[in-house]
Structures are given as structure tokens and as C-alpha cells.
Amino acid sequence: MKYTDDHEWLRAEGDEIIVGITKHASEQLGDVVFIELPEEGREVEAGEEIVVIESVKAASDITAPVAGVITSVNRDLADNPGNVNEDPMVAWFFRIKPTEDGVLDGFMDEAAYNDLVG
Amino acid sequence: MAEELRRTGLHDLHVAKGARMVPFAGWEMPVQYPMGVMGEHLHTRSHAGLFDVSHMGQVLVFPKDGKLETAALALESLIPANVLGLTEGRQRYGLFTNDRGGILDDLMFANRGDHYFLVVNAACAEQDIAHLHTLADVDIRPVTDRGLVALQGLEAAAVLTRLVPGVAEMRFMDSRSFDWNGSELWISRSGYTGEDGFEISVPNDRLIAFAEDLLTHPEVAPIGLGARDSLRLEAGMPLYGHDMDQMVTPAEAALGWSIQKIRRTGGARAGGFPGAERILTELADGPAVTRRGLRPEGRAPIREAVTIFAGESGGEPIAQVTSGGFGPSVGGPVAMAMIDPSIPDGTTLYAELRGKRLPVTVTTLPFITPSYKR
């Protein structure tokens, strides 16, 4: 498992990366009430805002951690956005197939991430 | 430049309860507790929520000549409401207006026998007090030695009765003094959540003890500003600085009901307040736009400043959302906007969100059925 400084978790599976948000992020967001997911098959750039998360308080974005193609999205989340609060490490948002190999190496491991959120 | 934030008498209690503190109108206030905004909102409606509203301004207005009528008429020169007709022990909602007919602030005022007790918004308190000081015949005494809490919700009366016997006999908008262990509480049966409840002015040195006493009852949970906002939004209540401000008139804010007949054209004490000409004309003829409810389809919250269009594509904007968000009791998004009053309820309009137009239905306010004890 790797982490971005935008509080996303990244899990490699085959040649894809599964993306969700951390417990820390879900706590900061508060109760999530709506999620807008990207279209499958969309080509995205690293840093592109591709998911909108609306909590009772505000709207925020999730960005694509790497450049690639969105291979699937978690449609269940659109119907049950509260799952992000209940189990953020399980409630994934999308799978992305990176354009380049080895892109995960540049991200934080769990210890580094825990240091970040202290 | 960062301004030193003021703290209420309950600051340490908020922190001890795990509140997330945020700057709000010059104060450091709890936005939510570990329960979260959604949980706090639902808890308030089904049980009872304790809100710290000590940041709001409390002001006493005494007549210099000792005659309450003098103070009533002085206040009527600033507030388009029937102050003189308010009987002792009763409270009313009112507005300060400006010469253009806009709203300077909204407030509660209570007749306490020989004086009036006003509660005004935190962000406007300084301005309101300066405004009140322009009155010649009254003494203005800002209350600095008291905090203010609100206990709101289905079980608020049952809980408060245990501490202060007698409150259950109060009707909506009654305002009375009670003794609590030797301290004088000023209690009104009112609030800003759409629920039955009370606002309680407590001497500062007893504020924490009183709040802690309430919180020992299992029905009561501390509630932050986040849920306070979603509760008032569902209740269709306008918020100063959002749904009304100095450019918005009472009729536009759908607050014409706060201007009683006696102050309107043809009434015995018609006019005589700032902006009267425009305000009264608009009340008689109807405003061009007025605050209405919007129910967005789907789950995406439509928030403040989102633009509203008549059609699914093209056309000029017809309105902007003044406040909006997710309504936990409604189970979906709710919003308010200034809409042409001739557009019928049930009409579909479109909110432009992140470049997409989403259908919203014009609806009557409030979004929930209030449970006041009238």
C-alpha cells in the first residue's frame, strides 16, 4: 500500500492501481453524502481532478495520482457514499491503468504517511 | 491581518468534548463534535441538542424615563415590527433596516417588563449596538456577563424541566426569568432549528456548570455550527450574510411576516423606520424576487452561489443559491434562492454545477414540518 500527500491510498493489483482515500481524509471530510465518479475508459493526467466528494460541509476533489486510463469505478459508492466514512480503506473509488511502469515507487509508504498525518 | 479570536465561556468544555474549533464571526467556535454533522443534526431532531450561541450579542434596552412605551417607540424607529404591542413575557422576531430598505441584521426582542432584551447576530453585534446608540431616549446596555445556550429538539422541554421546573408551561416565543440553583436564567421558548426548544441566557460564572448539568442527561448531545446550519436550512430559516444582507429587503427575504399590519401602510403606526417607503411599497406590490426553496433532484448538494437557469441549456442566469447543502432529515439536498415569485411551486429549474445543469424543483419552505409549541 502506498499513499499520496493528498491522502489517497494506492494499492497495486496486476497492472492496475486501486485508489481510495485514507481514514484521516474521511475524518477530515466529515459525512460524505454524494460522490461523482469519472467515466470508465477516460484518459487522465496525473493531478487531474477526477472525483468530486461532497460531504455535508463542502465539496472536495480527488485527483488522479498518476497518468493513465480509468479502467473501472466503484458504482456502489454512488448509491452508498457513507461507506467512505464507515470503511475508507475498503471503499475504493476507481482503478487506473498507469501509462508508465513503476509509478508507485515515488509514493509514501505507510510509515511515511503516518508521519505526515502525525 | 489575523485578528485575535474571542472565546466563549464554554470554550474549554467544547475542547474537552472533542470539538473541532473554527473561526466564526471573530469567535473560536465548535463546528462539530466527534458524532459528526449528520449525527448531530439527527440527534437534535429526535432527542435534544445543546448549542453554544454565546457569540451572539445580548443587549438590554431601558427607557430613560422609566416608561416602557418610550423604549418601544424608540425601537420601532429602527425596527419595522410592532414592538409596542408585544406583551410582557413575550418575544418577537424583527429586523434592523437601512435607508435603502435593506436588512442590517435580524434579531429577537423580548418584553421583560421594564426593558427589552435583544439577541443579535455575532457578526453584526458591534454595528447593531452603535445603531441602537443613535436612539435618544433609551439606555443601551450590552450584556457582557452572560453566555447564551440553545437547547433544541423533541426532548428539549422534558430535559430542561428537570433542571428548571416550569419551563414546560411556556409557549413558543414566551420569554421569562427562572432560578437555577440561585442563578437567574433568562429563558425563551425559541430557537433556530425548526424544533421546539429554548434559548437560555446564563451568567458567565455558571455557564459551564449549567451546560455540564444538561449534558449529564442522556438525551442531550453537544451540537456544533455545522448541524446548526443544516437544521436552520431545512427549517427554511434565512441566515444573515447569506440569505439576507444590506442589499436584500424584507419582502425579498420572505420576512414580510415580521412586519405586522400596524406598521404597514394604513396601520396606526405605519412606517417610521429606515427604508419604510420602499419596504412598504414592496410588501404591497410584491417584490421582483423572493426567497424560495429548491429541491435538487439526485444527491448532489447545490450550495451557496450556484447559478440557476430556467432551461437545460443556454439562457441568462435567473437566480443564485443563497444557501444550500445536504439536509440529513430530508435525506437529500436542499437549497434556497431568490426566485421570481410568479414562478409556480413545482417548476423545474436548473442549477449549474461543475459545468452541468442539474434539475431542481421550486418548493415552499420549510423543507421539514416545524414542531413549535404554540
Side-chain angles (χ1 to χ4, degrees), chain B residues 229 232-234 236-244 291-294 296 302-306 320-326 333-338 365 367:
Chain B
D229 192 50
R232 72 93 198 164
L233 181 63
E234 280 185 342
M237 292 166 165
L239 186 63
Y240 197 81
H242 300 265
D243 309 288
M244 56 179 149
R291 187 171 55 88
R292 314 268 305 266
L294 295 175
I302 307 296
R303 301 182 196 273
E304 186 171 347
V306 166
Q320 265 200 343
V321 172
T322 53
S323 53
F326 189 82
V334 290
M336 300 195 283
M338 293 290 177
L365 295 169
F367 299 104

Short mmCIF file of all heavy atoms in Angstrom, two decimals, chain B residues 229 232-234 236-244 291-294 296 302-306 320-326 333-338 365 367:
data_model
loop_
_atom_site.label_atom_id
_atom_site.label_comp_id
_atom_site.label_asym_id
_atom_site.label_seq_id
_atom_site.Cartn_x
_atom_site.Cartn_y
_atom_site.Cartn_z
N ASP B 229 -26.33 24.91 11.05
CA ASP B 229 -26.62 25.44 9.72
C ASP B 229 -27.56 24.51 8.94
O ASP B 229 -28.50 24.97 8.31
CB ASP B 229 -25.32 25.66 8.94
CG ASP B 229 -25.56 26.48 7.69
OD1 ASP B 229 -26.20 27.55 7.80
OD2 ASP B 229 -25.14 26.06 6.60
N ARG B 232 -31.17 24.79 10.41
CA ARG B 232 -31.89 26.02 10.07
C ARG B 232 -32.23 26.04 8.58
O ARG B 232 -33.27 26.57 8.17
CB ARG B 232 -31.15 27.27 10.53
CG ARG B 232 -29.88 27.63 9.76
CD ARG B 232 -30.10 28.59 8.64
NE ARG B 232 -28.96 28.56 7.72
CZ ARG B 232 -28.99 29.04 6.51
NH1 ARG B 232 -30.08 29.59 6.03
NH2 ARG B 232 -27.93 28.96 5.74
N LEU B 233 -31.36 25.45 7.78
CA LEU B 233 -31.62 25.40 6.34
C LEU B 233 -32.85 24.55 6.05
O LEU B 233 -33.75 24.96 5.31
CB LEU B 233 -30.38 24.83 5.64
CG LEU B 233 -30.42 24.69 4.13
CD1 LEU B 233 -30.56 26.06 3.46
CD2 LEU B 233 -29.15 24.00 3.63
N GLU B 234 -32.93 23.37 6.66
CA GLU B 234 -34.12 22.52 6.48
C GLU B 234 -35.37 23.21 7.00
O GLU B 234 -36.46 23.00 6.47
CB GLU B 234 -33.94 21.21 7.26
CG GLU B 234 -33.09 20.18 6.56
CD GLU B 234 -33.06 18.87 7.32
OE1 GLU B 234 -33.40 18.84 8.53
OE2 GLU B 234 -32.69 17.88 6.72
N GLY B 236 -36.00 26.19 6.72
CA GLY B 236 -36.32 27.30 5.82
C GLY B 236 -36.03 28.66 6.42
O GLY B 236 -36.63 29.66 6.02
N MET B 237 -35.11 28.70 7.37
CA MET B 237 -34.81 29.97 8.03
C MET B 237 -33.63 30.65 7.35
O MET B 237 -32.60 30.02 7.11
CB MET B 237 -34.49 29.73 9.50
CG MET B 237 -35.72 29.27 10.26
SD MET B 237 -35.25 28.62 11.84
CE MET B 237 -36.85 28.60 12.64
N PRO B 238 -33.79 31.94 7.06
CA PRO B 238 -32.70 32.66 6.39
C PRO B 238 -31.57 32.95 7.37
O PRO B 238 -31.80 33.10 8.57
CB PRO B 238 -33.37 33.95 5.95
CG PRO B 238 -34.45 34.18 6.95
CD PRO B 238 -34.94 32.82 7.36
N LEU B 239 -30.35 33.02 6.84
CA LEU B 239 -29.19 33.32 7.68
C LEU B 239 -28.59 34.64 7.22
O LEU B 239 -28.35 34.84 6.02
CB LEU B 239 -28.17 32.19 7.55
CG LEU B 239 -26.96 32.28 8.48
CD1 LEU B 239 -27.38 32.20 9.94
CD2 LEU B 239 -25.97 31.17 8.17
N TYR B 240 -28.35 35.51 8.20
CA TYR B 240 -27.79 36.81 7.84
C TYR B 240 -26.42 36.65 7.19
O TYR B 240 -25.60 35.85 7.60
CB TYR B 240 -27.69 37.77 9.05
CG TYR B 240 -27.52 39.17 8.54
CD1 TYR B 240 -28.62 39.90 8.12
CD2 TYR B 240 -26.25 39.72 8.33
CE1 TYR B 240 -28.47 41.14 7.54
CE2 TYR B 240 -26.09 40.97 7.75
CZ TYR B 240 -27.20 41.67 7.36
OH TYR B 240 -27.06 42.90 6.76
N GLY B 241 -26.20 37.44 6.13
CA GLY B 241 -24.93 37.36 5.39
C GLY B 241 -25.00 36.32 4.28
O GLY B 241 -24.07 36.22 3.48
N HIS B 242 -26.06 35.56 4.23
CA HIS B 242 -26.23 34.54 3.19
C HIS B 242 -27.54 34.77 2.44
O HIS B 242 -27.55 35.12 1.28
CB HIS B 242 -26.18 33.14 3.80
CG HIS B 242 -24.88 32.88 4.50
ND1 HIS B 242 -23.82 32.25 3.90
CD2 HIS B 242 -24.46 33.23 5.74
CE1 HIS B 242 -22.80 32.21 4.74
NE2 HIS B 242 -23.15 32.79 5.86
N ASP B 243 -28.66 34.59 3.15
CA ASP B 243 -29.97 34.74 2.52
C ASP B 243 -30.50 36.16 2.65
O ASP B 243 -31.54 36.49 2.09
CB ASP B 243 -30.96 33.76 3.16
CG ASP B 243 -30.38 32.36 3.18
OD1 ASP B 243 -30.31 31.75 2.11
OD2 ASP B 243 -29.98 31.91 4.27
N MET B 244 -29.82 36.96 3.42
CA MET B 244 -30.21 38.37 3.52
C MET B 244 -28.97 39.18 3.90
O MET B 244 -28.05 38.67 4.55
CB MET B 244 -31.30 38.56 4.58
CG MET B 244 -30.92 38.03 5.92
SD MET B 244 -32.22 38.30 7.13
CE MET B 244 -31.97 36.87 8.18
N ARG B 291 -37.24 34.90 -1.59
CA ARG B 291 -36.56 33.68 -1.15
C ARG B 291 -37.50 32.47 -1.25
O ARG B 291 -38.58 32.48 -0.68
CB ARG B 291 -36.08 33.87 0.30
CG ARG B 291 -35.23 32.77 0.85
CD ARG B 291 -34.65 33.19 2.20
NE ARG B 291 -35.70 33.59 3.14
CZ ARG B 291 -36.34 32.75 3.95
NH1 ARG B 291 -36.04 31.47 3.95
NH2 ARG B 291 -37.27 33.19 4.76
N ARG B 292 -37.08 31.48 -2.02
CA ARG B 292 -37.89 30.27 -2.21
C ARG B 292 -37.03 29.05 -1.94
O ARG B 292 -35.80 29.13 -1.97
CB ARG B 292 -38.37 30.19 -3.67
CG ARG B 292 -38.94 31.47 -4.27
CD ARG B 292 -40.42 31.61 -4.13
NE ARG B 292 -41.22 30.52 -4.65
CZ ARG B 292 -41.76 30.48 -5.88
NH1 ARG B 292 -41.52 31.45 -6.73
NH2 ARG B 292 -42.53 29.47 -6.24
N GLY B 293 -37.69 27.92 -1.80
CA GLY B 293 -36.98 26.66 -1.61
C GLY B 293 -36.68 26.00 -2.94
O GLY B 293 -37.42 26.18 -3.92
N LEU B 294 -35.60 25.25 -2.99
CA LEU B 294 -35.25 24.44 -4.16
C LEU B 294 -34.92 23.03 -3.68
O LEU B 294 -34.15 22.86 -2.75
CB LEU B 294 -34.03 25.01 -4.88
CG LEU B 294 -34.15 26.38 -5.54
CD1 LEU B 294 -32.80 26.81 -6.10
CD2 LEU B 294 -35.20 26.38 -6.63
N PRO B 296 -33.15 19.96 -5.14
CA PRO B 296 -32.40 19.37 -6.26
C PRO B 296 -32.76 17.89 -6.42
O PRO B 296 -32.96 17.18 -5.44
CB PRO B 296 -30.94 19.52 -5.81
CG PRO B 296 -30.96 20.58 -4.75
CD PRO B 296 -32.28 20.45 -4.07
N ILE B 302 -26.48 21.40 -3.79
CA ILE B 302 -26.38 22.65 -4.52
C ILE B 302 -26.13 23.72 -3.47
O ILE B 302 -27.00 24.00 -2.65
CB ILE B 302 -27.69 22.94 -5.29
CG1 ILE B 302 -28.09 21.75 -6.16
CG2 ILE B 302 -27.58 24.22 -6.09
CD1 ILE B 302 -27.13 21.42 -7.28
N ARG B 303 -24.94 24.31 -3.49
CA ARG B 303 -24.55 25.19 -2.39
C ARG B 303 -24.64 26.67 -2.78
O ARG B 303 -24.92 27.01 -3.92
CB ARG B 303 -23.13 24.85 -1.93
CG ARG B 303 -22.99 23.40 -1.45
CD ARG B 303 -21.60 23.10 -0.95
NE ARG B 303 -21.35 21.67 -0.85
CZ ARG B 303 -21.64 20.92 0.22
NH1 ARG B 303 -22.17 21.47 1.29
NH2 ARG B 303 -21.38 19.63 0.23
N GLU B 304 -24.34 27.50 -1.78
CA GLU B 304 -24.38 28.95 -1.95
C GLU B 304 -23.59 29.36 -3.20
O GLU B 304 -22.52 28.82 -3.47
CB GLU B 304 -23.77 29.61 -0.71
CG GLU B 304 -23.90 31.11 -0.70
CD GLU B 304 -23.49 31.71 0.65
OE1 GLU B 304 -23.36 30.96 1.63
OE2 GLU B 304 -23.33 32.93 0.71
N ALA B 305 -24.15 30.34 -3.94
CA ALA B 305 -23.53 30.96 -5.12
C ALA B 305 -23.66 30.14 -6.40
O ALA B 305 -23.24 30.58 -7.47
CB ALA B 305 -22.06 31.32 -4.88
N VAL B 306 -24.25 28.95 -6.33
CA VAL B 306 -24.51 28.19 -7.56
C VAL B 306 -25.57 28.95 -8.37
O VAL B 306 -26.52 29.49 -7.83
CB VAL B 306 -24.99 26.75 -7.23
CG1 VAL B 306 -25.58 26.07 -8.46
CG2 VAL B 306 -23.83 25.93 -6.66
N GLN B 320 -29.35 33.01 -8.03
CA GLN B 320 -28.19 32.39 -7.40
C GLN B 320 -28.64 31.78 -6.08
O GLN B 320 -29.45 32.37 -5.37
CB GLN B 320 -27.13 33.45 -7.10
CG GLN B 320 -26.09 33.55 -8.18
CD GLN B 320 -24.83 34.22 -7.67
OE1 GLN B 320 -24.83 34.86 -6.64
NE2 GLN B 320 -23.75 34.05 -8.42
N VAL B 321 -28.09 30.63 -5.77
CA VAL B 321 -28.41 29.99 -4.49
C VAL B 321 -27.84 30.85 -3.37
O VAL B 321 -26.67 31.25 -3.42
CB VAL B 321 -27.85 28.55 -4.46
CG1 VAL B 321 -27.99 27.94 -3.07
CG2 VAL B 321 -28.57 27.69 -5.50
N THR B 322 -28.67 31.14 -2.37
CA THR B 322 -28.20 31.96 -1.24
C THR B 322 -27.69 31.08 -0.11
O THR B 322 -26.78 31.45 0.61
CB THR B 322 -29.31 32.88 -0.71
OG1 THR B 322 -30.48 32.10 -0.43
CG2 THR B 322 -29.65 33.95 -1.75
N SER B 323 -28.29 29.92 0.07
CA SER B 323 -27.67 28.89 0.93
C SER B 323 -28.23 27.54 0.54
O SER B 323 -29.37 27.43 0.10
CB SER B 323 -27.84 29.17 2.42
OG SER B 323 -29.15 29.39 2.79
N GLY B 324 -27.41 26.54 0.69
CA GLY B 324 -27.83 25.20 0.29
C GLY B 324 -26.86 24.18 0.81
O GLY B 324 -25.73 24.51 1.18
N GLY B 325 -27.30 22.94 0.84
CA GLY B 325 -26.45 21.87 1.31
C GLY B 325 -27.25 20.60 1.40
O GLY B 325 -28.29 20.47 0.76
N PHE B 326 -26.75 19.68 2.22
CA PHE B 326 -27.42 18.40 2.38
C PHE B 326 -28.32 18.48 3.61
O PHE B 326 -27.89 18.95 4.65
CB PHE B 326 -26.40 17.28 2.53
CG PHE B 326 -27.00 15.91 2.48
CD1 PHE B 326 -27.29 15.31 1.27
CD2 PHE B 326 -27.31 15.23 3.65
CE1 PHE B 326 -27.86 14.04 1.22
CE2 PHE B 326 -27.87 13.96 3.61
CZ PHE B 326 -28.15 13.37 2.39
N PRO B 333 -30.42 16.79 -0.83
CA PRO B 333 -30.01 18.18 -0.85
C PRO B 333 -31.20 19.15 -0.78
O PRO B 333 -32.29 18.82 -1.26
CB PRO B 333 -29.28 18.32 -2.19
CG PRO B 333 -29.75 17.19 -3.02
CD PRO B 333 -30.18 16.10 -2.10
N VAL B 334 -30.97 20.29 -0.18
CA VAL B 334 -31.96 21.37 -0.10
C VAL B 334 -31.24 22.69 -0.30
O VAL B 334 -30.06 22.81 0.03
CB VAL B 334 -32.71 21.40 1.26
CG1 VAL B 334 -33.65 20.21 1.39
CG2 VAL B 334 -31.74 21.40 2.43
N ALA B 335 -31.95 23.67 -0.86
CA ALA B 335 -31.32 24.96 -1.11
C ALA B 335 -32.37 26.06 -1.09
O ALA B 335 -33.58 25.79 -1.19
CB ALA B 335 -30.59 24.94 -2.45
N MET B 336 -31.90 27.29 -0.97
CA MET B 336 -32.78 28.45 -1.06
C MET B 336 -32.17 29.42 -2.07
O MET B 336 -30.94 29.51 -2.19
CB MET B 336 -32.94 29.14 0.29
CG MET B 336 -33.53 28.22 1.35
SD MET B 336 -34.14 29.07 2.83
CE MET B 336 -32.64 29.44 3.67
N ALA B 337 -33.03 30.12 -2.80
CA ALA B 337 -32.54 31.10 -3.77
C ALA B 337 -33.59 32.19 -3.94
O ALA B 337 -34.76 32.01 -3.58
CB ALA B 337 -32.26 30.43 -5.11
N MET B 338 -33.16 33.33 -4.47
CA MET B 338 -34.07 34.43 -4.77
C MET B 338 -34.69 34.18 -6.14
O MET B 338 -34.00 34.27 -7.16
CB MET B 338 -33.30 35.75 -4.78
CG MET B 338 -32.77 36.15 -3.44
SD MET B 338 -34.13 36.64 -2.35
CE MET B 338 -33.20 36.97 -0.86
N LEU B 365 -41.18 26.67 1.44
CA LEU B 365 -40.38 26.48 2.65
C LEU B 365 -41.34 26.30 3.83
O LEU B 365 -42.45 26.82 3.79
CB LEU B 365 -39.48 27.70 2.88
CG LEU B 365 -38.41 27.93 1.80
CD1 LEU B 365 -37.77 29.29 1.97
CD2 LEU B 365 -37.35 26.84 1.87
N PHE B 367 -38.54 22.87 4.54
CA PHE B 367 -38.39 21.53 4.00
C PHE B 367 -38.84 20.46 4.99
O PHE B 367 -39.02 19.31 4.63
CB PHE B 367 -36.93 21.28 3.61
CG PHE B 367 -36.42 22.23 2.56
CD1 PHE B 367 -35.59 23.28 2.91
CD2 PHE B 367 -36.79 22.09 1.23
CE1 PHE B 367 -35.11 24.17 1.96
CE2 PHE B 367 -36.32 22.97 0.27
CZ PHE B 367 -35.49 24.02 0.63
#
